[in-house]
Amino acid sequence: MARIAPLSGFPEWLPDGRVVEQHVLDTLRRTFELHGFAGIETRAVEPLDQLLRKGETSKEVYVLRRLQAQDDAAAPDTQADKQLGLHFDLTVPFARYVLENAGRLAFPFKRYQIQKVWRGERPQDGRFREFVQADIDVVGAGELPYHYEVELPLVMAAALGALAGVGLPPVRILVNNRKVAEGFYRGLGLDDVEGVLRHIDKLDKIGPDAVAALLVQECGATTEQATACLELAAISGSDASVTDAVRALAASHGAVTDLLETGLTELGALIEAAAVRAPGVVVADLKIARGLDYYTGSVYETVLVGHEALGSICSGGRYDTLASDGKSTYPGVGLSIGVSRLVSRLLSAGLVRATRGVPTAVLVAVMSEEDRAASDAVADALRARGIPADVAPKVAKLGKQIQVADRRGIPFVWFPGETDQVKDIRSGEQAAADAGEWAPPAEDWWPRVVPGA
Amino acid sequence: MARIAPLSGFPEWLPDGRVVEQHVLDTLRRTFELHGFAGIETRAVEPLDQLLRKGETSKEVYVLRRLQAQDDAAAPDTQADKQLGLHFDLTVPFARYVLENAGRLAFPFKRYQIQKVWRGERPQDGRFREFVQADIDVVGAGELPYHYEVELPLVMAAALGALAGVGLPPVRILVNNRKVAEGFYRGLGLDDVEGVLRHIDKLDKIGPDAVAALLVQECGATTEQATACLELAAISGSDASVTDAVRALAASHGAVTDLLETGLTELGALIEAAAVRAPGVVVADLKIARGLDYYTGSVYETVLVGHEALGSICSGGRYDTLASDGKSTYPGVGLSIGVSRLVSRLLSAGLVRATRGVPTAVLVAVMSEEDRAASDAVADALRARGIPADVAPKVAKLGKQIQVADRRGIPFVWFPGETDQVKDIRSGEQAAADAGEWAPPAEDWWPRVVPGA
């Protein structure tokens, strides 16, 4: 094997980076479970025809071929219905899982799912071809009450908030409601709602003047209508003033509709609940459009304060048809955290670090190979009491064995003897100890994740 | 979407099955970490030429193609060096990771890795196309002391033993040493060591007579040599009598060699240590051959007692060259648990079950939608104290809300009121409670995994 270069777009971490990632994953899992979400895992592949149902994403799919299946390779396009591709998100597999198991699930079904997904796009600035997503969704059978649209961003606020202690910057969850946008546009007389949303979604990239021009050119808007759309998109805030501002704007343009009013009631309820349960985190931002056309109610994006250029690290929304089997329709609401993107930023910006890259709290020295069994017995006694321990790779002078621990960040070295001794190699303190009783301080027991600076 | 059938060979679990799998994974991870193994995760893909280095496995590889990359599809075979495939084990990616990061790792490097792997074979009796493996390996730079060959099966014994309480049957780890087999065969005058091992590996399938015939026909053995090989393969035991028996057999055939003696010393040391640290678990079994030719010392297989037909659930061995970059060689020893196969058997044979499929311990009832905020506050108060809680999906009569909990296996329903009440819906007991103080009994706090019957 010659020298090996990393594959662009396929991130991997060194052991201490993995400690950080694992802590993020454990924290998310715990928060999701505290909120009653059941964990599931789906296979990595779906039939290609299912993955291609949303035409837009087709170019991102990795298709699988068994190496010996020459026929498949010769005529890949004619066999699309038999082919398998790697999932590019966790929503498509979840929708399939719900249909496949509908009779065995209790609805509303709350699930979290933390898995890798793959997208065959050109890797660029923080875009990965393989990355971990952490999704929560609630799906109902036939109906799904609005209050879940309030609950889900608050669960994510709790999950991300639980990482603040280790150095995750504060997050801001930006929310909007499709009914507000659609009700307002229709009230204005603009019927190409999807077109308008698609252009509004470009505001941060191309600016208001370019968006206004596009609305006029491509959505048939008058200059006044285009201006009204931009005025709506400029509204944001985290209290009732937001809905008041939208109502006033709509009234001034004669754009009040029932749909708008429904949307404002919903958005208002979300802002109100968020102000109590996660003060300062949730902000109504009327420019949030989310490109995808299947959202029908609340939509969410999340920025890391101070790292806004990273883009949204946690997005989602309400969809009236997550899945449908002809008989029943399954509406849902969900959000997805881009874990790899988040962890990559935490590590590369030095925002967090692991106190060590190995689990080991104690390295037991070995005085001679004949005494290895005694050292093993010490390590086993510590492990039996939940203390991660390892035994020195080989016999060496004490200084050398301390070096073995030091290189790995292991804080304690144990010296078996007539009376066992344990040394904190950072302070140099050494004391007699009994493997059946001694324990490391809580902060040294397991590797921890701490703020970087 | 029409009716959906599962994909054969791609196992998925319902939420209560996932609780079981997650418990297995958590237990393995904790045991590995207690023994000082650092967790890593590698990308799911490797360059195809790396995956094909062992020609034998080539037919199992899933090759990736980006859907829009027509060129790749047109000439798949000429582009093998640029193509990516899904890893079919965790050893090939680990070897690559070690070479890629050698300068940033401390050797001997102990790592565990729990990930999915993919094999494009025809699914049959318990063979999966996608499955989870849990691997531990120790890899050295240039050298790796023998004692790791003793340690690794004992770590697996501890990991699998930690699952006995939830209903995993006892395991038996069968060990052998390549040096014993090779030393004995060469002492007999048989030089086609790989050929003999390959046929001995078939003993359980085709029986001793057929193996003897193959040894004569294909390895140039005399009848007497073939019989000697079968006599060696028939030896097993868990104390020093095993090495004594091999020595006696070798002496009777004039087949004593230095290599044999080295192997017997190693095997004896393993058996002796195992008798102390994991009594009754490790058995020397001289017929264990392991088909793969890269093993150079200890080899391991593991059977579930009473489920021997399932085959080995945890296998591995010592290899002198896990990886090599021209300058350095990295010897290693490792074992791999087939987690999906194990979990599949645990579930399908009803050996274990989860006490519930949701994390939720308490469902907070909702008396009217106006009071939902009060119910949310109760749930948040419980969660803040680490108690998984959920709020009823909608307002309903109390009996209906209890039904919602009952269908999910949630043991407690909370009724907010002037004085809050909490009801154990299994016993019907109900008592006043304060969300800032009440806690469920430890056994109801989280879903548990318990023996099935």
Side-chain angles (χ1 to χ4, degrees):
Chain A
M1 242 185 242
R3 279 194 61 219
I4 298 211
L7 267 183
S8 179
F10 292 88
E12 287 183 341
W13 317 123
L14 286 168
D16 60 342
R18 175 63 182 168
V19 171
V20 170
E21 182 177 57
Q22 190 69 65
H23 178 78
V24 170
L25 296 175
D26 288 347
T27 303
L28 297 179
R29 172 181 160 193
R30 181 178 163 85
T31 308
F32 299 158
E33 291 185 346
L34 283 174
H35 287 79
F37 289 79
I40 69 162
E41 192 158 298
T42 58
R43 62 191 191 223
V45 306
E46 297 294 331
L48 190 55
D49 52 351
Q50 290 301 316
L51 293 172
L52 299 185
R53 284 171 65 229
K54 303 173 196 160
E56 200 189 0
T57 48
S58 65
K59 61 177 173 300
E60 300 175 352
V61 174
Y62 276 118
V63 185
L64 299 191
R65 176 175 60 84
R66 285 183 300 133
L67 193 59
Q68 82 278 35
Q70 299 296 342
D71 296 344
D72 292 9
D77 295 329
T78 60
Q79 306 213 349
D81 57 337
K82 292 175 192 166
Q83 283 188 300
L84 300 176
L86 294 175
H87 55 218
F88 54 81
D89 70 9
L90 300 177
T91 305
V92 171
F94 176 52
R96 190 262 314 150
Y97 181 94
V98 165
L99 289 184
E100 192 174 313
N101 299 297
R104 292 170 286 181
L105 300 173
F107 293 97
F109 176 49
K110 300 172 72 169
R111 84 87 174 79
Y112 75 90
Q113 192 171 348
I114 301 177
Q115 286 184 248
K116 284 183 175 171
V117 304
W118 294 267
R119 295 184 188 176
E121 36 193 340
R122 294 264 159 233
Q124 52 183 6
D125 42 44
R127 295 232 166 197
F128 293 129
R129 293 180 153 195
E130 171 178 286
F131 53 99
V132 176
Q133 284 193 334
D135 283 25
I136 53 173
D137 285 86
V138 184
V139 62
E143 56 169 10
L144 186 74
Y146 174 73
H147 63 77
Y148 287 113
E149 293 176 59
V150 177
E151 179 185 346
L152 262 69
L154 293 175
V155 175
M156 284 303 197
L160 294 166
L163 291 166
V166 304
L168 184 78
V171 299
R172 194 147 295 152
I173 302 179
L174 311 175
V175 304
N176 194 2
N177 191 300
R178 273 289 167 89
K179 293 171 189 168
V180 172
E182 178 169 352
F184 184 83
Y185 301 155
R186 290 200 191 279
L188 282 179
L190 289 170
D191 286 333
D192 181 6
V193 175
E194 280 181 31
V196 176
L197 283 171
R198 207 166 47 241
H199 295 311
I200 291 291
D201 206 19
K202 299 174 192 157
L203 256 175
D204 283 345
K205 276 192 189 158
I206 63 175
D209 293 346
V211 169
L214 282 169
L215 292 176
V216 170
Q217 286 159 32
E218 300 193 8
C219 301
T222 64
T223 308
E224 199 194 8
Q225 287 170 327
T227 304
C229 292
L230 292 175
E231 285 171 341
L232 179 70
I235 294 172
S236 73
S238 51
D239 59 32
S241 69
V242 172
T243 48
D244 292 346
V246 175
R247 275 193 191 94
L249 179 70
S252 76
H253 287 283
V256 178
T257 59
D258 287 350
L259 187 61
L260 174 70
E261 196 44 53
T262 303
L264 286 174
T265 304
E266 292 185 355
L267 187 60
L270 172 47
I271 295 299
E272 194 183 330
V276 175
R277 295 177 65 190
V281 175
V282 175
V283 177
D285 187 336
L286 278 291
K287 79 167 179 298
I288 298 300
R290 305 289 305 143
L292 303 167
D293 57 6
Y294 48 77
Y295 291 119
T296 53
S298 302
V299 288
Y300 318 102
E301 292 190 356
T302 308
V303 292
L304 217 47
V305 175
H307 300 260
E308 288 78 4
L310 188 61
S312 177
I313 56 157
C314 174
S315 311
R318 156 91 188 205
Y319 29 83
D320 281 342
T321 310
L322 170 70
S324 169
D325 58 10
K327 285 198 306 270
S328 305
T329 294
Y330 299 87
V333 54
L335 287 114
S336 174
I337 298 182
V339 175
S340 299
R341 180 190 292 208
L342 187 63
V343 170
S344 176
R345 173 58 60 105
L346 292 177
L347 293 174
S348 66
L351 295 170
V352 305
R353 65 177 179 88
T355 52
R356 58 185 187 258
V358 292
T360 321
V362 183
L363 181 77
V364 184
V366 178
M367 305 317 195
S368 76
E369 279 304 328
E370 290 68 46
D371 294 331
R372 178 171 290 279
S375 298
D376 283 335
V378 169
D380 277 345
L382 293 170
R383 291 165 187 150
R385 294 172 44 247
I387 302 164
D390 206 349
V391 177
K394 57 183 177 181
V395 175
K397 287 184 184 160
L398 291 190
K400 185 81 184 168
Q401 304 212 30
I402 288 171
Q403 218 174 60
V404 167
D406 191 42
R407 282 200 58 194
R408 290 161 172 80
I410 300 171
F412 294 95
V413 176
W414 192 283
F415 304 110
E418 288 210 9
T419 308
D420 287 7
Q421 300 267 320
V422 65
K423 184 191 199 80
D424 182 331
I425 66 169
R426 299 159 301 185
S427 67
E429 265 178 67
Q430 184 169 329
D434 178 331
E437 288 174 8
W438 180 88
E443 68 268 22
D444 291 328
W445 199 298
W446 292 99
R448 282 175 308 123
V449 176
V450 296
Chain B
M1 244 187 241
R3 277 193 62 217
I4 298 214
L7 267 183
S8 179
F10 292 88
E12 286 183 342
W13 317 123
L14 286 167
D16 59 342
R18 175 64 182 167
V19 170
V20 170
E21 182 176 57
Q22 189 71 63
H23 178 78
V24 170
L25 297 175
D26 288 347
T27 303
L28 297 179
R29 171 181 160 193
R30 180 178 163 83
T31 309
F32 299 158
E33 292 185 346
L34 282 174
H35 287 79
F37 289 79
I40 68 162
E41 192 159 296
T42 58
R43 62 190 191 224
V45 305
E46 297 294 332
L48 190 55
D49 53 350
Q50 289 302 316
L51 293 172
L52 299 184
R53 284 172 66 230
K54 302 171 195 159
E56 201 190 1
T57 48
S58 66
K59 60 179 174 298
E60 301 174 353
V61 174
Y62 276 118
V63 185
L64 300 190
R65 176 175 59 85
R66 285 184 298 134
L67 193 59
Q68 83 278 33
Q70 300 296 342
D71 295 343
D72 293 8
D77 294 330
T78 60
Q79 306 212 346
D81 57 338
K82 292 176 192 167
Q83 283 189 299
L84 300 175
L86 293 175
H87 56 218
F88 54 81
D89 70 8
L90 301 177
T91 305
V92 171
F94 176 53
R96 190 261 316 152
Y97 181 94
V98 165
L99 289 184
E100 192 174 313
N101 299 296
R104 290 171 287 182
L105 300 173
F107 294 96
F109 176 49
K110 300 171 73 170
R111 83 88 173 78
Y112 75 90
Q113 192 171 347
I114 301 177
Q115 285 185 246
K116 285 184 176 172
V117 304
W118 294 267
R119 296 184 188 177
E121 36 193 342
R122 294 263 159 235
Q124 53 185 1
D125 42 45
R127 294 233 167 196
F128 294 129
R129 293 181 154 195
E130 171 179 286
F131 54 99
V132 177
Q133 285 193 333
D135 283 25
I136 53 172
D137 284 86
V138 184
V139 62
E143 57 169 10
L144 187 73
Y146 173 73
H147 65 77
Y148 288 113
E149 293 177 58
V150 177
E151 179 185 344
L152 262 69
L154 293 174
V155 175
M156 284 303 197
L160 294 165
L163 291 166
V166 305
L168 184 78
V171 299
R172 195 147 294 151
I173 302 180
L174 311 175
V175 304
N176 195 1
N177 191 300
R178 274 288 167 89
K179 294 171 187 167
V180 172
E182 178 168 351
F184 183 84
Y185 301 155
R186 291 200 190 278
L188 283 179
L190 289 170
D191 287 333
D192 181 6
V193 175
E194 280 182 31
V196 176
L197 283 171
R198 206 167 47 242
H199 295 311
I200 292 291
D201 206 21
K202 299 174 191 156
L203 256 175
D204 283 345
K205 275 192 189 157
I206 63 175
D209 293 346
V211 169
L214 283 169
L215 293 176
V216 171
Q217 287 159 31
E218 302 195 5
C219 301
T222 64
T223 309
E224 200 195 4
Q225 287 170 327
T227 304
C229 292
L230 292 174
E231 285 171 343
L232 179 69
I235 294 172
S236 73
S238 51
D239 58 32
S241 70
V242 172
T243 48
D244 292 346
V246 175
R247 275 192 192 94
L249 180 70
S252 77
H253 287 283
V256 177
T257 60
D258 287 350
L259 187 62
L260 173 69
E261 197 45 52
T262 304
L264 286 174
T265 304
E266 291 185 356
L267 187 59
L270 172 47
I271 294 300
E272 194 183 330
V276 175
R277 295 177 65 189
V281 175
V282 175
V283 178
D285 188 336
L286 279 290
K287 78 168 181 297
I288 299 301
R290 304 291 304 146
L292 303 168
D293 58 6
Y294 48 78
Y295 291 121
T296 53
S298 302
V299 288
Y300 318 103
E301 292 191 355
T302 308
V303 292
L304 217 47
V305 175
H307 300 260
E308 288 78 4
L310 188 61
S312 177
I313 56 157
C314 174
S315 311
R318 156 91 189 207
Y319 29 82
D320 282 342
T321 311
L322 170 71
S324 169
D325 58 10
K327 285 197 308 269
S328 305
T329 295
Y330 298 87
V333 54
L335 286 112
S336 174
I337 298 182
V339 175
S340 298
R341 180 191 290 207
L342 187 64
V343 170
S344 176
R345 173 57 62 103
L346 292 177
L347 294 174
S348 67
L351 295 170
V352 305
R353 65 177 179 86
T355 53
R356 58 185 188 259
V358 292
T360 322
V362 183
L363 181 77
V364 184
V366 178
M367 304 318 194
S368 76
E369 280 303 330
E370 289 69 44
D371 295 331
R372 179 170 290 278
S375 298
D376 283 335
V378 169
D380 277 346
L382 293 170
R383 291 166 188 151
R385 294 173 44 247
I387 302 164
D390 207 350
V391 177
K394 56 184 179 182
V395 174
K397 287 184 183 160
L398 290 191
K400 185 80 184 169
Q401 304 212 31
I402 288 171
Q403 220 174 57
V404 167
D406 191 42
R407 283 200 59 197
R408 289 161 173 80
I410 300 171
F412 295 95
V413 176
W414 192 283
F415 304 111
E418 288 211 9
T419 307
D420 288 7
Q421 300 266 321
V422 66
K423 184 190 199 80
D424 182 331
I425 66 169
R426 299 158 302 184
S427 67
E429 266 179 66
Q430 185 169 329
D434 178 330
E437 288 174 10
W438 179 88
E443 69 268 22
D444 292 328
W445 198 298
W446 291 99
R448 281 175 309 121
V449 177
V450 296

